[in-house]
C-alpha cells in the first residue's frame, strides 16, 4: 500500500511538471524601423532606417541625414515594428523602462555637432528619447545611433549613465551632412 | 572438477534469458581451463590476477586459519556450484564444489572482507574475524536477468574492437554533482565543449554534437543537438554505468554515430526481498551547489515477478567564481525523476520506464553579446565589467537563461524463444522542449522555443548459435520525429525562426554476426538506412508555405578482428563506415546566433557526410602493469562545418560577421594511450594521454575547435585499516592548441568587420594549463550490508587561473577556480 502510494505520488508529480510552454510563450519582437525627427521651429525633418524583412534577406534602407549649419534642433527618436499591422510602436516600451535603456548619438567627428540629453529616468540618469542636436559649420560624416539595453544584473541596476554596461539593441550608422 | 550438466541447467534457469549461450559456454570453458592451467580469458583477467597472486604471495608465518561454508540459492534452496569466494586482502580465492561447499585454507589471522560472486546472483560481502576455524554459509539472491540483450551487445563490443571504455557506479559516485560531459572527460580521448561551467557537451576524438549518439536506457536520445550550448538532457544521478564507444558504431546504432556512442544505463531491476534505498548527496563550495538523489527499489510481494524502482534528484547552484572574481547569473537548477518497473514471467520480460529531466541554467551576463562591437569590447577587457562580477552571492537566475525539459517513455519486451533464440522489441517516446530566453523590454521575452517529438521502435532478433561458434542478430529500427518552432507542423506562422518545422522519418535494418574460437574473435555487420525529411517554412515577407523534401539513403558496414596472445597481449583491428545526412540546422539556419555574435547561414545543397574509420588497439596486461594504446585514422568525405565568410551582415543591431555551413574532406588521426602501474591493488599510478591531429584536406590546414592534446595522471592509494579508505591526487595538463586554421575558408571577403578574425576565431587559442585535484574518501560497511561512502574533494587546489580552448566563454572570462566538494553515498 505504502509503495503504491509512493508510485502514485511520483506520477502526480511527474505529470504536473510536464507543461512548460505556457510559461514562456513564443513572442518575438522585432524593431524594423527607426525614425529620427529633427525639429526647428515649425520645420520637422525626419530620417529613417528601415529593414522590413528583419535580419538578413534584403539589405536595410538608410536615409541620409541633412541638417542646416549653426542650428539647434529638438531631436526625438521613434522605434517601430512595421512588419506587423497595425504598426507596433516600441518607443513607449522603451520609455516605460527608461531606467534600463540609454540612447546614444555619436557623430564621427566633433565638427558634425553635439548632442545634449533633455530627458531623465527615475534615477536621474539620461535616457535620450528626447534631446537637442546643435550643428556648427558645414561638414560631412557619420552619426552613430545606439540603443543600449542595460537591464539589472542579479537585482542590481547596471545602468550608470555611460555606454559601457549592457548590449546593443540598436546600432546604426547614418550618413550625416551639415550644410 | 566441474560438473557440466549442473552448470548448463543452472544457466538455462537463470541467465540465458537472452540467448547467446555460446558466449557463456566459451566463458565457462575458459573458466574451467583457467582453474586447471592458470590460463585466463578476457572476462576473467581480474580473477586471474587474484589467482596468480594467490600462487605467488601464498604462505606467511602463523597463517594456518581456514574458513569454510556452503552457498545456497535463497529462492530455490538449492546449492550454488561454481561461485567465486574470495578474501581479496589475503589474495585468496576458490570456487564452490558440486555440493556448493568451499574451503579456503592457510589464511592469516585477522579481520577480512569476504566476497562471493557468481553470474546470475547478487554478489555478497561479509566481514569475518578469523581466529582459527570459521564456518560461514551464504544465501545468495537470484538476480534473474543479470544479462539482457543490451548488456550482451555491449559486452561483445568490448571484446571485439577494444575501443570501448566504461565508468562503473563506483567511479560515478566519485563524480556526482558534475554535468554528464564533465564526468565523461575522465576517459582518455574524451573532451568537453563548454559554455560556462554548467553547460557541457562531450567530444569524442574531436567530434561532437550530431556526430555522437547517446543511448539513454536503450533508447537513442533525440534532442536539439545543433548548438554547442546544448548539453545532453540526462540526469547523471540515474546513470549507474556509462559506456563510451570511441569511433563509428553506425551499423548497430544508425546514422550519426560517426564520432562515437555514449551508452548510459541504470542498474538492472532485480528481485529484492526488502526495500533497498540509495541516497546520494553532494555539496560544492564554488557556487554553493548542492544536490540530492534518492533511489528506492523493491518488488511487489503480491504479484510475483514484478519489480519496481523510483528515483528523483534535485540540484541547485548559484553564481560561480573564478580565482579572482564572481560571475553574475551563472546559477543552475535541476529537478529530475524516473519510474521503472519490470515484470518477468517464464520466458518473457516486460520493462516500463519513464523519466523526466528539467533544468534552468543562467547564462553569464557578461557573455550576453548584442553585436560585434560589443563582442570586440568584451574580448578586449582583461576581466569582465564590475557589474558582471558582483561581490554578493545569489542563487537567482535572471535573463538570459535556458529552460529545458526532456521526457522519455520506454516500453521493452524481451521474449526468449525456443533454441535460446531471443526477440526484443523496444518502443521509445521522447519529448524535448527547449527555450532560450533573452532579456528584452518589459516582461517580454525574446525566446527561441524548440519542441521536438520523437518516436523510436527497435526490433532485435538474436538467432540461435550456429556450430556453437557463430552468434548474431538482425534488427530493424524506425524513427519518426517532428519539430515545431512556430504554428503547427505543416502550417508555420513566422519566418524568423532559427530552425524550421520539419518531420523526419528514418528506417534502417542491420545484421551483425560474430565468430569466436578461443582467443580469436571476428565480427562483421552491415546496415541500410533511409531518411525522409520534410521541411515546412515561410520565406521572408511571404505567406506562401514552402515545403522541401529530402531523401537520403546509405549502406554502412563494419568489420572487427581480435586475438589474444599468451593471455597478456591483445591486438584488435576495427574497420567501420558511417554516415550523417545533412541536419536541418546545417541546411536552413538563417539568422543571428545570440550570444555568439555571428550571423549563421545554412546551405540546402549540402551533401551526405561519409566516414571511413580504422582503429587498432594494443593491450598488454601484467600483474603490476597495464598498457593500452588505441590508434585511429578516420577519413570524412563532405565533413560539414561552420566557417566565417569574411563578410558582414548589416542588421539593426549593427554588423555581424557571417558564418556559413560548408563542406570539406577531413582527416582525424590520433592516439589514446594509457599506462597503469598497480601494486597489491593498493597503490595505483595511472596516466592517460590523448593526442589528436585533425586536418582540412581540401585547404591543407588544421580544423578549427579541435581539442588540444592532454594528459591526465592519477595517483591513488587504498588503505587497509585506517581512518581513511582512499586518497588520490589527480593532475591534468592541457596543452595549448597550436594547430588552428590560418587562412580564410571563403575567399570572397569584401568588407571589413568590426572584429578582426584570427583564422576564423575571435581570439587566439589560450595558453596551456595544469590543474591539480585532491580527494580522500572513507567507506563504512555494516553487517546489514549497508554502506556509507564519504568523499571530500578539492578541485583546482592551487586556484589556477586558466582558460580552455573549447570553452565558449574563454573570450570573456577565466574558468572557475578552487572548488571544495563533499559527497555522500548511502546504501541501505
Amino acid at each position: 500500500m505504502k509503495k503504491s502510494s509512493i508510485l502514485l505520488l511520483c506520477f502526480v508529480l511527474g505529470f504536473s511538471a510536464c507543461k512548460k510552454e505556457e510559461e514562456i510563450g513564443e513572442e518575438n519582437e522585432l524593431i524594423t524601423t527607426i525614425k529620427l525627427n529633427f525639429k526647428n521651429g515649425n520645420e520637422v525633418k525626419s530620417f529613417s532606417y528601415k529593414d522590413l524583412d528583419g535580419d538578413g534577406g534584403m539589405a536595410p534602407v538608410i536615409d541620409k541625414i541633412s541638417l542646416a549649419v549653426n542650428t539647434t534642433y529638438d531631436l526625438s527618436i521613434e522605434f517601430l515594428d512595421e512588419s506587423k499591422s497595425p504598426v507596433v510602436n516600441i518607443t513607449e516600451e522603451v520609455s516605460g523602462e527608461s531606467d534600463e535603456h540609454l540612447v546614444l548619438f555619436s557623430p564621427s567627428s566633433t565638427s558634425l555637432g553635439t548632442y545634449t540629453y533633455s530627458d531623465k529616468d527615475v534615477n536621474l540618469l539620461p535616457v535620450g528619447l528626447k534631446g537637442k542636436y546643435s550643428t556648427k559649420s558645414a561638414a560631412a560624416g557619420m552619426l552613430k545611433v545606439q540603443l543600449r539595453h542595460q537591464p539589472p544584473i542579479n537585482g542590481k541596476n547596471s545602468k550608470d549613465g555611460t555606454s559601457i554596461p549592457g548590449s546593443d539593441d540598436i546600432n546604426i550608422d547614418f550618413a550625416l551632412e551639415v550644410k | 572438477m566441474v560438473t557440466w550438466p549442473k552448470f548448463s541447467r543452472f544457466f538455462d534457469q537463470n541467465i540465458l534469458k537472452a540467448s547467446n549461450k555460446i558466449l557463456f559456454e566459451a566463458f565457462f570453458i575458459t573458466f574451467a581451463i583457467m582453474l586447471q592451467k592458470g590460463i585466463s580469458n578476457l572476462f576473467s583477467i581480474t580473477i586471474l590476477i587474484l589467482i596468480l597472486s594467490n600462487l605467488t604471495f601464498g604462505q606467511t608465518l602463523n597463517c594456518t586459519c581456514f574458513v569454510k561454508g556452503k552457498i545456497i540459492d535463497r529462492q530455490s534452496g538449492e546449492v550454488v556450484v561454481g561461485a567465486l569466494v574470495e578474501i581479496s586482502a589475503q589474495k585468496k580465492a576458490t570456487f564452490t564444489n558440486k555440493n556448493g561447499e568451499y574451503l579456503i585454507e592457510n589464511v592469516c589471522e585477522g579481520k577480512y572482507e569476504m566476497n562471493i560472486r557468481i553470474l546470475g546472483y547478487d554478489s555478497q560481502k561479509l566481514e569475518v574475524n578469523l581466529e582459527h576455524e570459521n564456518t560461514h554459509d551464504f544465501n545468495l539472491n537470484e538476480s534473474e536477468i543479470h544479462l539482457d540483450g543490451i548488456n550482451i551487445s555491449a559486452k561483445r563490443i568490448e571484446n571485439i574492437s577494444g575501443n570501448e571504455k566504461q565508468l562503473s557506479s563506483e567511479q560515478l559516485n566519485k563524480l556526482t554533482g558534475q554535468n554528464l560531459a564533465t564526468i565523461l572527460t575522465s576517459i582518455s580521448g574524451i573532451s568537453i565543449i563548454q559554455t560556462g561551467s554548467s553547460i557541457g557537451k562531450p567530444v569524442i576524438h574531436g567530434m561532437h554534437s550530431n556526430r555522437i549518439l547517446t543511448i539513454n536506457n536503450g533508447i537513442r536520445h533525440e534532442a536539439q543537438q545543433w548548438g554547442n550550448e546544448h548539453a545532453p538532457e540526462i540526469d547523471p544521478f540515474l546513470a549507474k554505468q556509462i559506456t563510451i564507444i570511441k569511433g563509428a558504431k553506425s551499423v548497430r546504432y544508425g546514422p550519426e554515430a560517426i564520432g562515437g556512442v555514449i551508452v548510459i544505463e541504470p542498474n538492472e531491476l532485480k528481485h529484492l526481498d526488502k526495500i533497498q534505498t540509495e541516497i546520494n548527496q553532494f555539496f560544492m563550495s564554488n557556487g554553493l551547489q548542492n544536490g540530492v538523489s534518492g533511489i528506492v527499489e523493491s518488488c511487489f510481494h503480491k504479484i510475483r515477478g514484478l519489480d519496481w524502482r523510483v528515483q528523483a534528484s534535485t540540484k541547485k547552484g548559484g553564481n560561480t567564481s573564478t580565482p579572482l572574481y564572481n560571475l553574475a547569473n551563472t546559477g543552475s537548477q535541476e529537478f529530475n525523476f524516473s519510474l521503472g518497473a519490470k515484470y518477468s514471467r517464464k520466458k518473457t520480460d516486460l520493462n516500463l520506464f519513464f523519466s523526466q529531466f528539467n533544468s534552468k541554467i543562467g547564462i553569464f551576463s557578461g557573455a550576453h553579446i548584442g553585436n560585434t562591437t560589443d563582442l570586440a569590447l568584451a574580448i578586449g577587457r582583461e576581466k569582465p565589467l564590475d557589474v558582471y562580477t558582483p561581490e554578493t552571492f545569489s542563487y537567482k537566475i535572471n535573463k538570459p537563461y535556458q529552460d529545458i525539459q526532456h521526457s522519455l517513455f520506454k516500453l521493452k519486451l524481451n521474449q526468449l524463444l525456443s533454441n535460446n533464440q531471443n526477440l526484443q522489441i523496444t518502443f521509445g517516446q521522447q519529448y524535448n522542449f527547449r527555450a532560450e530566453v533573452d532579456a528584452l523590454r518589459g516582461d517580454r521575452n525574446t525566446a527561441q522555443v524548440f519542441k521536438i517529438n520523437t518516436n523510436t521502435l527497435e526490433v532485435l532478433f538474436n538467432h540461435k548459435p550456429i556450430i556453437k561458434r557463430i552468434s548474431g542478430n538482425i534488427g530493424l529500427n524506425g524513427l519518426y520525429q517532428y519539430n515545431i518552432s512556430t504554428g503547427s507542423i505543416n502550417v508555420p506562422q513566422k519566418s524568423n525562426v532559427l530552425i524550421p518545422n520539419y518531420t523526419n522519418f528514418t528506417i534502417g535494418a542491420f545484421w551483425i554476426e560474430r565468430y569466436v574460437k578461443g582467443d580469436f574473435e571476428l565480427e562483421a555487420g552491415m546496415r541500410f538506412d533511409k531518411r525522409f525529411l520534410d521541411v515546412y517554412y515561410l520565406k521572408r515577407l511571404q505567406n506562401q508555405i514552402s515545403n522541401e523534401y529530402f531523401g537520403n539513403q546509405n549502406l554502412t558496414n563494419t568489420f572487427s578482428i581480435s586475438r589474444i596472445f599468451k593471455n597478456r597481449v591483445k591486438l584488435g583491428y576495427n574497420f567501420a563506415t558511417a554516415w550523417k545526412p545533412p541536419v536541418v540546422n546545417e541546411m536552413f539556419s538563417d539568422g543571428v546566433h545570440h550570444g555568439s555574435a555571428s550571423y549563421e547561414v545554412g546551405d540546402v545543397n549540402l551533401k551526405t557526410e561519409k566516414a571511413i574509420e580504422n582503429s587498432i588497439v594494443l593491450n598488454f596486461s601484467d600483474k603490476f602493469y597495464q598498457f593500452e594504446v588505441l590508434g585511429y585514422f578516420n577519413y570524412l568525405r563532405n565533413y560539414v562545418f561552420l566557417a566565417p565568410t569574411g563578410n558582414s551582415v548589416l542588421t539593426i543591431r549593427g554588423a555581424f560577421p557571417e558564418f556559413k555551413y560548408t563542406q570539406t574532406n577531413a582527416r582525424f588521426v590520433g592516439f589514446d594511450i594509457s599506462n597503469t602501474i598497480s601494486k597489491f591493488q593498493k597503490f595505483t599510478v595511472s596516466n592517460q594521454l590523448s593526442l589528436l591531429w585533425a586536418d582540412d584536406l581540401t585547404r591543407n590546414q588544421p580544423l578549427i575547435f579541435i581539442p588540444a592534446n592532454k594528459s591526465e595522471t592519477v595517483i591513488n592509494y587504498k588503505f587497509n585499516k585506517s581512518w581513511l579508505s582512499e586518497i588520490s591526487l589527480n593532475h591534468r595538463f592541457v596543452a595549448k592548441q597550436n594547430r588552428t586554421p590560418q587562412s580564410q575558408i571563403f575567399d570572397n571577403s569584401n568588407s571589413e568587420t568590426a572584429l578582426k578574425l584570427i583564422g576564423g576565431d575571435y581570439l587566439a587559442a589560450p595558453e596551456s594549463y595544469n590543474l591539480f585535484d585532491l580527494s580522500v574518501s572513507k567507506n563504512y560497511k555494516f553487517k546489514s550490508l549497508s554502506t556509507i561512502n564519504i568523499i571530500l574533494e578539492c578541485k583546482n587546489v592551487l586556484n589556477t587561473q586558466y582558460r580552455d580552448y573549447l570553452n565558449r566563454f574563454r573570450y570573456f572570462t577565466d574558468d572557475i577556480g578552487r572548488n571544495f566538494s563533499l559527497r555522500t553515498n548511502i546504501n541501505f
Side-chain angles (χ1 to χ4, degrees):
Chain A
M1 198 57 218
K2 212 180 205 173
K3 281 164 243 160
S4 47
S5 53
I6 296 174
L7 270 173
L8 191 73
L9 179 77
C10 286
F11 269 110
V12 171
L13 250 170
F15 291 108
S16 61
C18 258
K19 289 281 167 195
K20 276 211 168 187
E21 290 133 78
E22 286 79 17
E23 295 167 30
I24 288 158
E26 45 174 292
E27 197 153 15
N28 245 334
E29 189 184 70
L30 198 64
I31 302 177
T32 62
T33 309
I34 290 139
K35 249 180 168 168
L36 299 178
N37 303 311
F38 291 86
K39 191 180 167 210
N40 178 28
N42 290 329
E43 185 203 7
V44 179
K45 292 181 181 179
S46 285
F47 306 98
S48 67
Y49 166 104
K50 272 183 208 232
D51 189 4
L52 296 184
D53 67 346
D55 295 347
M58 285 180 298
V61 180
I62 313 173
D63 291 344
K64 188 176 176 183
I65 302 172
S66 172
L67 301 173
V69 293
N70 292 319
T71 315
T72 296
Y73 294 93
D74 287 329
L75 172 56
S76 66
I77 187 165
E78 282 178 80
F79 311 109
L80 306 170
D81 180 1
E82 295 188 317
S83 70
K84 307 213 167 64
S85 85
V87 172
V88 184
N89 190 339
I90 295 153
T91 326
E92 289 151 23
E93 281 177 30
V94 176
S95 165
E97 279 192 352
S98 56
D99 58 335
E100 43 186 85
H101 285 98
L102 178 69
V103 188
L104 295 161
F105 297 89
S106 328
S108 55
S109 89
T110 49
S111 62
L112 285 164
T114 49
Y115 178 81
T116 47
Y117 291 93
S118 43
D119 52 357
K120 285 195 164 56
D121 66 17
V122 287
N123 302 315
L124 303 179
L125 293 168
V127 183
L129 293 173
K130 290 193 172 64
K132 289 192 193 308
Y133 195 86
S134 312
T135 58
K136 290 172 208 155
S137 52
M142 306 296 281
L143 176 68
K144 183 182 276 300
V145 178
Q146 281 168 279
L147 173 64
R148 299 288 291 173
H149 188 201
Q150 306 173 324
I153 307 295
N154 277 8
K156 203 175 145 197
N157 281 345
S158 71
K159 183 173 170 178
D160 59 1
T162 72
S163 66
I164 294 164
S167 59
D168 279 336
D169 272 358
I170 289 171
N171 183 326
I172 314 164
D173 291 310
F174 283 93
L176 169 62
E177 193 181 13
V178 182
K179 58 181 179 186
Chain B
M1 179 173 276
V2 176
T3 44
W4 287 103
K6 267 250 165 174
F7 254 106
S8 38
R9 189 175 62 81
F10 163 74
F11 262 123
D12 286 336
Q13 278 174 352
N14 296 303
I15 300 174
L16 284 185
K17 294 258 161 152
S19 100
N20 269 297
K21 192 172 174 179
I22 187 157
L23 196 69
F24 298 109
E25 280 195 356
F27 174 48
F28 269 85
I29 289 165
T30 351
F31 221 96
I33 296 168
M34 189 183 77
L35 284 174
Q36 287 160 351
K37 295 183 186 171
I39 295 172
S40 154
N41 117 328
L42 254 182
F43 279 101
S44 45
I45 275 179
T46 41
I47 299 167
L48 166 77
I49 290 168
L50 279 170
I51 288 178
L52 280 177
S53 325
N54 187 9
L55 296 174
T56 33
F57 303 101
Q59 281 80 29
T60 10
L61 287 170
N62 301 326
C63 294
T64 51
C65 299
F66 65 89
V67 53
K68 61 177 188 178
K70 196 170 183 178
I71 297 181
I72 290 161
D73 182 318
R74 192 187 295 263
Q75 273 80 20
S76 69
E78 286 179 46
V79 296
V80 178
V81 183
L84 175 75
V85 183
E86 61 162 326
I87 301 175
S88 53
Q90 280 278 303
K91 313 277 170 204
K92 298 272 183 191
T94 187
F95 296 91
T96 50
N97 63 15
K98 59 183 176 183
N99 301 319
E101 293 160 354
Y102 70 91
L103 169 68
I104 301 179
E105 288 177 294
N106 300 327
V107 187
C108 306
E109 283 185 27
K111 239 184 179 170
Y112 303 107
E113 184 181 274
M114 279 179 73
N115 236 318
I116 295 90
R117 276 180 303 180
I118 182 164
L119 279 170
Y121 291 89
D122 297 336
S123 66
Q124 231 187 78
K125 287 176 182 173
L126 180 77
E127 195 111 311
V128 289
N129 198 350
L130 285 189
E131 279 168 2
H132 179 67
E133 174 190 329
N134 283 55
T135 305
H136 290 287
D137 294 343
F138 292 90
N139 291 314
L140 290 187
N141 277 320
E142 290 177 17
S143 64
E144 279 215 320
I145 315 299
H146 195 89
L147 296 165
D148 78 347
I150 294 279
N151 263 337
I152 287 171
S153 61
K155 290 223 156 57
R156 300 159 144 212
I157 294 156
E158 179 179 47
N159 280 341
I160 276 286
S161 52
N163 53 3
E164 183 200 271
K165 285 280 165 284
Q166 280 182 346
L167 287 176
S168 65
S169 62
E170 192 189 335
Q171 286 166 297
L172 291 169
N173 281 345
K174 293 181 184 171
L175 301 163
T176 48
Q178 306 185 74
N179 66 43
L180 188 68
T182 312
I183 288 172
L184 299 179
T185 53
S186 52
I187 298 171
S188 68
I190 315 294
S191 326
I192 176 172
I193 289 189
Q194 280 178 287
T195 305
S197 60
S198 41
I199 303 173
K201 248 183 129 93
V203 183
I204 303 177
H205 287 167
M207 291 186 238
H208 56 87
S209 303
N210 278 312
R211 292 189 185 88
I212 287 186
L213 261 187
T214 305
I215 306 292
N216 182 19
N217 213 322
I219 305 275
R220 186 186 159 111
H221 183 73
E222 284 288 335
Q224 278 97 22
Q225 278 293 327
W226 36 72
N228 287 346
E229 73 279 29
H230 298 186
E233 302 86 347
I234 290 167
D235 179 10
F237 277 120
L238 187 58
K240 287 293 163 198
Q241 187 180 31
I242 300 181
T243 309
I244 294 255
I245 300 157
K246 299 190 265 190
K249 206 70 206 175
S250 263
V251 170
R252 177 62 183 84
Y253 296 111
E256 298 183 3
I258 292 179
V261 183
I262 301 166
V263 184
I264 296 166
E265 283 161 304
N267 279 338
E268 269 297 317
L269 274 171
K270 36 191 178 191
H271 268 315
L272 295 164
D273 282 341
K274 50 162 193 159
I275 295 182
Q276 187 170 312
T277 310
E278 179 183 344
I279 294 172
N280 274 292
Q281 170 277 332
F282 77 92
F283 170 79
M284 289 185 193
S285 65
N286 198 326
L288 299 180
Q289 298 176 67
N290 55 78
V292 62
S293 155
I295 302 177
V296 182
E297 57 184 288
S298 188
C299 68
F300 282 107
H301 290 289
K302 283 177 192 163
I303 310 165
R304 207 181 138 72
L306 184 62
D307 309 310
W308 56 268
R309 174 187 293 147
V310 175
Q311 178 261 356
S313 72
T314 78
K315 189 174 155 181
K316 187 176 183 177
N319 288 346
T320 53
S321 56
T322 72
L324 298 180
Y325 43 85
N326 298 325
L327 300 172
N329 202 37
T330 48
S332 60
Q333 288 163 14
E334 249 181 53
F335 169 71
N336 312 310
F337 70 90
S338 69
L339 311 160
K342 190 179 82 174
Y343 179 66
S344 0
R345 198 189 161 92
K346 288 177 184 167
K347 293 179 169 182
T348 311
D349 269 352
L350 196 63
N351 265 280
L352 199 71
F353 179 80
F354 179 79
S355 72
Q356 192 178 74
F357 174 92
N358 296 278
S359 99
K360 191 173 172 181
I361 303 171
I363 305 293
F364 173 50
S365 316
H368 180 238
I369 298 304
N371 60 17
T372 322
T373 325
D374 286 341
L375 180 64
L377 284 170
I379 289 171
R381 288 184 194 114
E382 270 285 295
K383 83 180 254 283
L385 288 174
D386 288 344
V387 69
Y388 303 132
T389 59
E391 301 271 307
T392 51
F393 173 82
S394 168
Y395 274 115
K396 196 161 190 277
I397 296 172
N398 291 306
K399 293 171 195 170
Y401 66 86
Q402 294 185 354
D403 196 352
I404 301 149
Q405 183 179 76
H406 191 92
S407 304
L408 165 71
F409 170 77
K410 177 182 111 166
L411 186 65
K412 182 173 145 187
L413 173 77
N414 200 337
Q415 178 71 43
L416 188 65
L417 308 170
S418 57
N419 296 327
N420 284 328
Q421 308 199 96
N422 152 289
L423 182 71
Q424 199 174 297
I425 301 171
T426 314
F427 169 74
Q429 190 173 45
Q430 294 171 76
Y431 171 66
N432 185 288
F433 170 87
R434 176 185 192 88
E436 293 179 8
V437 182
D438 233 328
L440 200 76
R441 282 160 293 281
D443 294 324
R444 292 197 188 200
N445 305 308
T446 48
Q448 272 170 355
V449 180
F450 310 100
K451 286 171 256 179
I452 294 193
N453 280 278
T454 314
N455 293 293
T456 50
L457 183 70
E458 179 176 274
V459 179
L460 185 69
F461 173 71
N462 291 299
H463 69 69
K464 73 175 190 193
I466 303 166
I467 57 160
K468 286 203 170 186
R469 294 206 194 282
I470 299 172
S471 60
N473 50 36
I474 297 166
L476 283 170
N477 288 102
L479 177 147
Y480 175 72
Q481 181 177 71
Y482 60 92
N483 170 58
I484 303 176
S485 296
T486 162
S488 60
I489 302 179
N490 45 14
V491 191
Q493 276 166 358
K494 285 186 304 192
S495 61
N496 55 343
V497 290
L498 203 60
I499 306 293
N501 294 353
Y502 68 83
T503 63
N504 173 5
F505 179 59
T506 308
I507 48 165
F510 65 92
W511 181 24
I512 304 171
E513 290 294 327
R514 180 168 183 253
Y515 172 82
V516 184
K517 191 186 175 192
D519 292 341
F520 176 76
E521 295 179 1
L522 195 136
E523 189 180 86
M526 61 194 283
R527 180 189 182 101
F528 179 77
D529 288 287
K530 192 160 171 61
R531 180 185 80 158
F532 308 87
L533 177 71
D534 264 294
V535 179
Y536 304 90
Y537 65 106
L538 285 175
K539 288 188 176 143
R540 289 163 188 281
L541 301 176
Q542 278 186 18
N543 295 322
Q544 179 102 33
I545 294 162
S546 307
N547 174 13
E548 283 187 57
Y549 163 77
F550 303 87
N552 308 78
Q553 59 188 54
N554 198 40
L555 188 72
T556 45
N557 44 65
T558 180
F559 173 77
S560 307
I561 187 164
S562 88
R563 169 104 207 238
I564 302 166
F565 301 93
K566 301 197 168 173
N567 301 303
R568 289 212 169 151
V569 179
K570 185 191 165 192
L571 191 62
Y573 167 74
N574 191 37
F575 168 86
T577 60
W579 71 300
K580 176 177 82 69
V583 192
V584 176
N585 68 308
E586 294 167 347
M587 294 191 284
F588 287 93
S589 283
D590 186 14
V592 173
H593 192 157
H594 287 272
S596 67
S598 57
Y599 192 96
E600 294 179 2
V601 184
D603 181 358
V604 279
N605 298 315
L606 289 176
K607 295 191 214 66
T608 295
E609 180 176 309
K610 287 183 183 176
I612 298 172
E613 308 198 353
N614 291 278
S615 66
I616 291 182
V617 185
L618 176 70
N619 187 309
F620 171 83
S621 49
D622 199 346
K623 231 184 303 172
F624 301 125
Y625 178 63
Q626 279 141 43
F627 168 78
E628 187 179 276
V629 58
L630 164 69
Y632 55 96
F633 183 97
N634 302 338
Y635 173 78
L636 280 84
R637 202 168 73 222
N638 297 325
Y639 173 81
V640 177
F641 68 113
L642 192 63
T645 61
N647 296 322
S648 58
V649 177
L650 191 62
T651 76
I652 199 149
R653 267 161 292 140
F656 288 88
E658 184 187 52
F659 283 72
K660 255 191 183 153
Y661 283 98
T662 184
Q663 291 186 304
T664 188
N665 293 336
R667 182 182 61 205
F668 289 72
V669 181
F671 296 96
D672 295 345
I673 302 165
S674 69
N675 282 286
T676 308
I677 301 166
S678 57
K679 193 140 196 212
F680 310 119
Q681 295 182 334
K682 272 188 168 179
F683 181 63
T684 312
V685 183
S686 68
N687 175 269
Q688 298 191 317
L689 205 60
S690 313
L691 308 172
L692 169 62
W693 294 264
D695 288 283
D696 176 342
L697 296 177
T698 318
R699 291 169 196 87
N700 205 13
Q701 64 173 357
L703 285 168
I704 196 168
F705 295 137
I706 294 301
N709 295 337
K710 66 169 186 175
S711 154
E712 186 147 354
T713 310
V714 184
I715 302 172
N716 182 292
Y717 190 85
K718 286 194 174 92
F719 295 89
N720 211 3
K721 277 176 261 172
S722 167
W723 58 277
L724 259 188
S725 302
E726 200 176 328
I727 180 163
S728 63
L729 177 70
N730 194 336
H731 167 244
R732 176 177 293 189
F733 168 74
V734 178
K736 180 179 177 177
Q737 182 53 283
N738 291 315
R739 305 185 82 253
T740 55
Q742 295 308 314
S743 62
Q744 289 280 3
I745 306 297
F746 298 94
D747 41 31
N748 57 340
S749 117
N750 54 21
S751 74
E752 283 277 310
T753 53
L755 201 62
K756 193 108 182 95
L757 292 168
I758 304 157
D761 200 351
Y762 302 129
L763 198 64
E767 295 301 317
S768 63
Y769 61 87
N770 288 285
L771 292 180
F772 293 90
D773 304 338
L774 186 67
S775 87
V776 292
S777 72
K778 174 70 187 164
N779 298 316
Y780 296 96
K781 281 174 188 152
F782 304 97
K783 271 237 168 83
S784 56
L785 298 175
S786 304
T787 57
I788 297 177
N789 183 17
I790 299 168
I791 304 166
L792 186 66
E793 186 193 37
C794 179
K795 272 192 150 357
N796 193 359
V797 177
L798 304 177
N799 214 11
T800 309
Q801 252 180 291
Y802 71 101
R803 295 188 184 203
D804 188 85
Y805 181 57
L806 290 187
N807 192 336
R808 274 166 25 108
F809 284 1
R810 73 180 163 96
Y811 303 125
F812 318 113
T813 162
D814 292 339
D815 240 296
I816 68 167
R818 188 181 292 140
N819 189 1
F820 288 97
S821 59
L822 178 72
R823 301 185 169 92
T824 331
N825 171 272
I826 306 169
N827 276 288
F828 59 91

